[in-house]
């Protein structure tokens, strides 16, 4: 017999009180630990991080990716650095070297060949690597993007790259700060962190998801101009529950099962404290590919005391939110509060988008109760309502009062949503009946199929347009080609963190956030929605073109940067008079720097006084 709503709510309140009591009991302990913890450096305030030109010897430079220029070393540099004769006589500019790289890549036939070549280039010459990517972003960035080629994650065990990632295992507990100190760069401004538990709907990949972390770093450098030396990619190796990896003799991570939640929380707590001690509270922690429960809990526990963001939980969710805002702006310039949104599945992106939708509804003046009445969740067991048995823990906060509904089709027919968001990693769960129900529910239904890769999407773009009679706006978690329906071409939207994360990261870093509230992502989503081109909207594409990603990231960073000062979240002082120009001045330049200083003759220098001139002529 189902429990009554009152009994269910009372039990939920008792559980919440117990959790609050536990949290309060540990808050004082955490506060004391933070206050008494030694601090080494707050890297936010370090502005001059360039090493002296005489710090490295020439032969060391040839083996250091951040110093090596290949044939770009001038003759003066070769003689001064004692590498003359170690290189051919030709001196090439960086643009000439880029042309040579383009010819090599064009001659390659497989994605694995191109990926291997580019990763090798990144390990030998960083300047040339990023200059090459910038030469044609749309063509070359997908070649190193693990989300574009998921099988690259499988190749990782044969393509280990030294020096790009820091591996911290659960065996290092008690010595986390010591391991973090082994990273050779002291001035880290943001960390890309993952435990590899939930990678692109592919499940638990352990340390094999390392290419996904380095992809985020490369995107931040190329798309928004964040200097690569400020980034640290961290793999938290806590084992894996993937039987295939446990039995794989080539797997490079710990071959043991993941620990209990209690032990894992102690592990992550120590990691966050080590980050604060080493780099300060301004260091941005970008979490990616965590389990939904852990992603949610980590944000709740740490977002108030340090700068932490979850890529799946918040950034992809903000991108999806901007798609809905863009649709509203394109049709009738209606308020966001007119939307009725139905989510299917407990994917972190769904949960994160629902939270951001509630925050955005509150910005329009709705109270908590009214905002939650516009947000509904459904899973394989039916609508998430108060009193229902077997509600997933991550969806308890979205349970509303309503009569039980057992199927998704019935939920659509009764609730009349205009937005349907799928994130369940179940292929084709949006059946023709579901899509027909959406066609009858709204004048222009907005359908998200966010599960990746495309083989796990809730429905295809062709099916969405066919069963909604061409009236829908279709948004996918994978990049799809244009489709033709009724002699018209339409472009499915591509909802990805690529278009939002780099600019947001730049804005958070430069303003000196110490905490990132949900409203930050609402501001970013709103700015992104206003940058969609009219010709793209005409093709039902609610995102700006990726070929303009650098401009998009720049304006995204400005929006976040300005918001920080408006809300009192910025710690940068003094406030720049022109935020856009300030951001541009901090962007990474992929030009070669001279490794030798200008040589000058002291005999030609003028002496300031007659006495010093006489002394110079007589005694020197």
């Amino acid at each position: 017999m189902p429990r009554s709503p009152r009994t269910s709510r009372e039990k939920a309140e008792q559980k919440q009180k117990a959790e609050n009591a536990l949290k309060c009991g540990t808050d004082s302990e955490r506060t004391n630990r933070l206050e008494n913890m030694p601090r080494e450096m707050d890297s936010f305030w370090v502005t001059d991080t360039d090493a002296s030109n005489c710090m490295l010897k020439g032969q060391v430079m040839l083996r250091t990716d951040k110093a090596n220029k290949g044939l770009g070393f001038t003759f003066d540099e070769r003689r001064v650095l004692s590498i003359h004769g170690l290189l051919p006589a030709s001196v090439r500019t960086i643009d000439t070297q880029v042309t040579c790289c383009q010819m090599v890549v064009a001659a390659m036939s497989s994605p694995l060949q191109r990926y291997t070549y580019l990763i090798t280039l990144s390990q030998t010459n960083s300047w040339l690597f990023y200059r090459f990517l910038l030469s044609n972003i749309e063509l070359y960035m997908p070649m190193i993007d693990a989300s574009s080629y998921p099988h690259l994650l499988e190749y990782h065990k044969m393509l280990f790259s030294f020096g790009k990632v820091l591996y911290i295992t659960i065996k290092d507990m008690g010595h986390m700060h010591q391991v973090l100190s082994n990273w050779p760069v002291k001035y880290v401004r943001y960390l890309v962190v993952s435990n590899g538990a939930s990678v692109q709907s592919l499940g638990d990949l352990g340390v094999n998801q390392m290419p996904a972390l380095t992809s985020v770093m490369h995107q931040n450098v190329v798309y928004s101009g964040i200097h690569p030396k400020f980034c640290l990619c961290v793999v938290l190796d806590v084992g894996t529950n993937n039987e295939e990896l446990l039995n794989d003799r080539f797997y490079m991570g710990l071959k043991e099962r993941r620990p209990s939640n209690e032990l894992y929380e102690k592990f992550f707590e120590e990691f966050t404290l080590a980050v604060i001690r080493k780099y300060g509270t301004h260091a941005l922690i970008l979490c990616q590919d965590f389990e939904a429960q852990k992603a949610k809990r980590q944000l709740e526990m740490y977002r108030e005391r340090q700068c932490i963001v979850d890529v799946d939980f918040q950034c992809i969710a903000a991108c999806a939110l901007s798609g809905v805002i863009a649709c509203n702006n394109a049709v009738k310039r209606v308020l966001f509060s007119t939307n009725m949104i139905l989510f299917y599945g407990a994917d972190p992106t769904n949960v994160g988008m629902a939270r951001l939708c509630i925050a955005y509804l509150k910005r329009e003046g709705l109270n908590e109760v009214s905002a939650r009445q516009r947000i509904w969740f459904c899973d394989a067991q039916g609508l998430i309502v108060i009193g229902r048995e077997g509600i997933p823990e991550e969806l308890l906060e979205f349970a509303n009062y309503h009569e039980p509904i057992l199927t998704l089709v019935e939920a659509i027919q009764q609730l009349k949503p205009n937005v349907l968001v799928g994130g369940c990693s179940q292929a084709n769960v949006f059946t023709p009946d579901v899509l027909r129900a959406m066609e009858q529910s709204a004048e222009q239904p907005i359908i998200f199929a966010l599960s990746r890769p495309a083989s796990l999407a809730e429905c295809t773009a062709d099916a969405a347009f066919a069963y909604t009679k061409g009236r829908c706006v279709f948004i996918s978690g994978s990049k799809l080609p244009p489709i033709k329906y009724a002699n018209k071409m339409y472009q499915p939207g591509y909802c990805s963190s690529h278009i939002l994360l780099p600019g947001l990261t730049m804005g958070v870093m430069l303003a000196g956030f110490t905490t990132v509230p949900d409203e930050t992502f609402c501001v970013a989503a709103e700015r992104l929605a206003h940058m969609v081109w009219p010709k793209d909207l005409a093709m039902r594409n609610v995102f700006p073109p990726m070929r303009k990603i650098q401009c998009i990231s720049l304006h995204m960073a400005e929006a976040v940067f300005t918001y920080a000062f408006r809300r009192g979240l910025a710690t940068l002082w003094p406030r720049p008079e022109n935020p856009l120009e300030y951001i541009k001045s901090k962007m990474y330049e992929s030009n070669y720097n001279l490794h030798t200083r200008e040589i000058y003759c002291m005999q030609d220098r003028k002496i300031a006084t007659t006495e010093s001139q006489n002394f110079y002529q007589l005694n020197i």
Side-chain angles (χ1 to χ4, degrees):
M1 183 175 180
R3 294 176 294 178
S4 67
R6 181 177 179 182
T7 304
S8 176
R9 182 174 287 278
E10 288 176 353
K11 289 186 177 181
E13 290 177 353
Q14 290 175 359
K15 181 179 179 181
Q16 186 64 43
K17 287 181 180 179
E19 291 180 355
N20 290 340
L22 180 62
K23 185 178 179 180
C24 292
T26 58
D27 275 348
S28 59
E29 180 181 342
R30 291 197 186 97
T31 302
N32 291 333
R33 190 183 306 172
L34 284 169
E35 290 178 350
N36 298 323
M37 182 178 63
R39 307 295 178 95
E40 295 184 14
M41 179 183 297
D42 192 333
S43 58
F44 173 75
W45 300 107
V46 179
T47 57
D48 183 12
T49 60
D50 291 330
S52 172
N53 287 11
C54 62
M55 293 295 290
L56 295 176
K57 294 183 179 179
Q59 295 188 31
V60 177
M61 286 185 173
L62 289 175
R63 298 190 296 269
T64 305
D65 65 292
K66 294 180 176 60
N68 182 26
K69 299 195 293 184
L71 293 180
F73 285 102
T74 65
F75 288 124
D76 286 341
E77 288 177 316
R78 298 181 190 192
R79 286 191 290 265
V80 171
L81 299 172
S82 300
I83 58 174
H84 184 64
L86 301 182
L87 297 170
S90 174
V91 176
R92 293 178 178 172
T93 65
I94 190 170
D95 291 326
T96 303
Q97 290 176 297
V98 167
T99 302
C100 295
C101 293
Q102 291 172 341
M103 295 171 65
V104 172
V105 170
M108 294 178 174
S109 58
S110 72
L112 179 58
Q113 288 178 323
R114 292 189 286 266
Y115 177 78
T116 305
Y117 173 77
L118 292 177
I119 292 303
T120 303
L121 181 62
S122 72
Q123 295 171 354
T124 56
N125 190 333
S126 288
W127 279 318
L128 180 57
F129 171 70
Y130 288 116
R131 186 62 162 249
F132 171 79
L133 295 179
L134 286 165
S135 66
N136 192 331
I137 293 175
E138 287 187 290
L139 177 62
Y140 297 130
M141 278 302 294
M143 295 181 184
I144 61 165
D145 183 7
S147 63
S148 299
Y149 299 104
H151 59 272
L152 294 179
L153 301 173
E154 300 175 7
Y155 293 142
H156 166 62
K157 58 190 176 187
M158 279 82 76
L159 297 174
F160 170 70
S161 55
F162 168 77
K164 293 299 180 183
V165 173
L166 185 68
Y167 295 87
I168 302 179
T169 73
I170 198 165
K171 307 295 185 182
D172 297 318
M173 284 187 66
H175 307 279
M176 203 85 71
H177 174 261
Q178 180 182 346
V179 178
L180 203 61
S181 299
N182 290 338
W183 188 249
V185 181
K186 295 182 179 179
Y187 314 112
V188 172
R189 299 285 291 276
Y190 73 103
L191 302 89
V192 187
V193 184
S194 178
N195 68 355
S198 179
V199 184
Q200 299 180 15
S201 302
L202 299 175
D204 186 352
L205 295 185
V207 300
N208 282 356
Q209 53 78 241
M210 185 275 286
L213 297 189
T214 55
S215 292
V216 173
M217 178 186 71
H218 299 324
Q219 290 159 13
N220 284 337
V221 175
V222 174
Y223 294 161
S224 65
I226 301 175
H227 202 294
K229 66 185 175 185
F230 288 136
C231 176
L232 168 58
C233 297
V234 181
V235 173
L236 300 180
D237 187 357
V238 292
T240 177
N241 291 336
N242 188 329
E243 290 292 342
E244 184 179 347
L245 295 180
L246 291 173
N247 297 320
D248 186 354
R249 66 191 180 102
F250 294 114
Y251 181 62
M252 295 182 295
L254 287 177
K255 290 189 177 181
E256 59 182 49
R257 295 195 175 276
R258 293 182 179 271
S260 63
N261 290 335
E262 182 180 358
L263 181 60
Y264 175 82
E265 287 186 4
K266 291 181 180 179
F267 172 78
F268 196 82
E269 167 79 8
E270 184 181 344
F271 169 72
T272 58
L273 291 174
V275 171
I276 293 178
R277 176 179 175 182
K278 186 68 180 174
Y279 306 118
T281 55
H282 296 91
L284 172 61
I285 300 176
L286 294 176
C287 297
Q288 180 172 311
D289 299 331
F290 285 85
E291 308 97 309
Q293 279 295 325
K294 286 184 172 56
K296 176 182 174 183
R297 182 161 177 78
Q298 286 166 186
L299 282 177
E300 291 175 347
M301 292 186 64
Y302 302 112
R303 69 186 310 177
E304 295 299 327
R305 84 176 188 192
Q306 64 192 108
C307 205
I308 184 170
V309 167
D310 190 275
V311 175
D312 304 305
F313 206 77
Q314 295 175 299
C315 294
I316 299 179
C319 186
L321 172 63
S322 76
V324 180
I325 297 173
C327 288
N328 295 158
N329 293 341
V331 180
K332 297 179 181 178
R333 298 282 177 178
V334 296
L335 294 175
F336 188 79
S337 55
T338 59
N339 293 296
M340 180 68 74
I341 306 175
L342 177 61
F343 294 87
Y344 187 84
D347 187 84
T349 301
N350 278 13
V351 177
M353 182 181 176
R355 287 186 168 188
L356 292 184
C357 286
I358 292 173
Y360 199 84
L361 289 167
K362 289 180 179 178
R363 292 184 74 204
E364 289 194 350
L366 272 67
N367 57 32
E368 182 79 18
V369 176
S370 300
R372 291 188 177 276
Q373 289 176 349
R374 314 299 298 180
I375 306 297
W376 294 84
F377 268 82
C378 188
D379 62 10
Q381 309 303 320
L383 195 65
I384 303 298
V385 295
I386 294 175
R388 201 198 85 173
E389 295 284 351
I391 298 177
E393 185 176 349
E394 56 268 27
L395 300 184
L396 282 173
E397 62 179 295
F398 302 107
N400 290 327
Y401 285 105
H402 198 280
E403 292 296 323
I405 299 178
L406 300 180
T407 66
L408 178 57
V409 173
E410 292 177 342
I412 295 172
Q413 291 172 344
Q414 293 193 35
L415 296 176
K416 299 295 182 183
N418 67 308
V419 182
L420 177 63
V421 185
C424 62
S425 301
Q426 298 176 22
N428 301 318
V429 71
F430 290 172
T431 63
D433 290 338
V434 170
L435 298 173
R436 290 191 190 99
M438 283 299 299
E439 185 267 328
Q440 297 172 5
S441 175
E443 180 180 348
Q444 187 177 65
I446 305 171
I447 299 173
F448 288 82
L450 298 179
S451 294
R452 296 177 296 168
S455 59
L456 295 177
E458 287 71 19
C459 69
T460 64
D462 291 322
F465 276 90
Y467 293 108
T468 60
K469 300 178 182 178
R471 288 166 34 200
C472 74
V473 173
F474 182 77
I475 301 173
S476 173
S478 303
K479 190 172 184 179
L480 301 176
I483 68 167
K484 187 175 183 179
Y485 178 82
N487 294 323
K488 290 185 179 180
M489 298 300 296
Y490 299 100
Q491 175 61 60
Y494 177 34
C495 181
S496 169
S497 62
H498 301 173
I499 201 167
L500 184 140
L501 178 61
L504 184 137
T505 302
M506 179 69 114
V508 169
M509 278 178 46
L510 293 183
F513 281 68
T514 56
T515 181
V516 186
D518 283 340
E519 191 180 8
T520 309
F521 300 93
C522 294
V523 170
E526 195 170 43
R527 175 60 68 92
L528 182 62
H530 285 88
M531 287 191 284
V532 183
W533 291 23
K535 66 177 183 180
D536 289 323
L537 287 173
M539 294 185 66
R540 309 276 178 85
N541 184 8
V542 292
F543 298 107
M546 284 297 293
R547 65 179 180 276
K548 297 292 183 181
I549 184 61
Q550 291 175 303
C551 179
I552 294 167
S553 297
L554 181 62
H555 287 280
M556 188 78 63
E558 182 197 21
V560 173
F561 188 87
T562 305
Y563 160 78
F565 283 96
R566 189 169 66 247
R567 294 298 186 189
L569 297 170
T571 57
L572 176 68
W573 187 89
R575 178 177 181 174
E577 295 182 2
N578 190 328
L580 197 61
E581 292 301 320
Y582 176 78
I583 294 170
K584 287 181 179 179
S585 70
K586 299 297 181 181
M587 294 178 70
Y588 172 64
E589 294 289 342
S590 59
N591 295 317
Y592 285 145
N593 295 330
L594 283 175
H595 291 311
T596 57
R597 298 297 188 189
E598 180 185 357
I599 299 175
Y600 56 90
C601 179
M602 294 185 63
Q603 278 91 1
D604 295 334
R605 300 297 175 185
K606 293 183 179 179
I607 307 301
T609 64
T610 304
E611 292 80 2
S612 59
Q613 183 176 13
N614 293 334
F615 180 82
Y616 179 83
Q617 293 174 346
L618 294 173
N619 298 286
I620 299 180

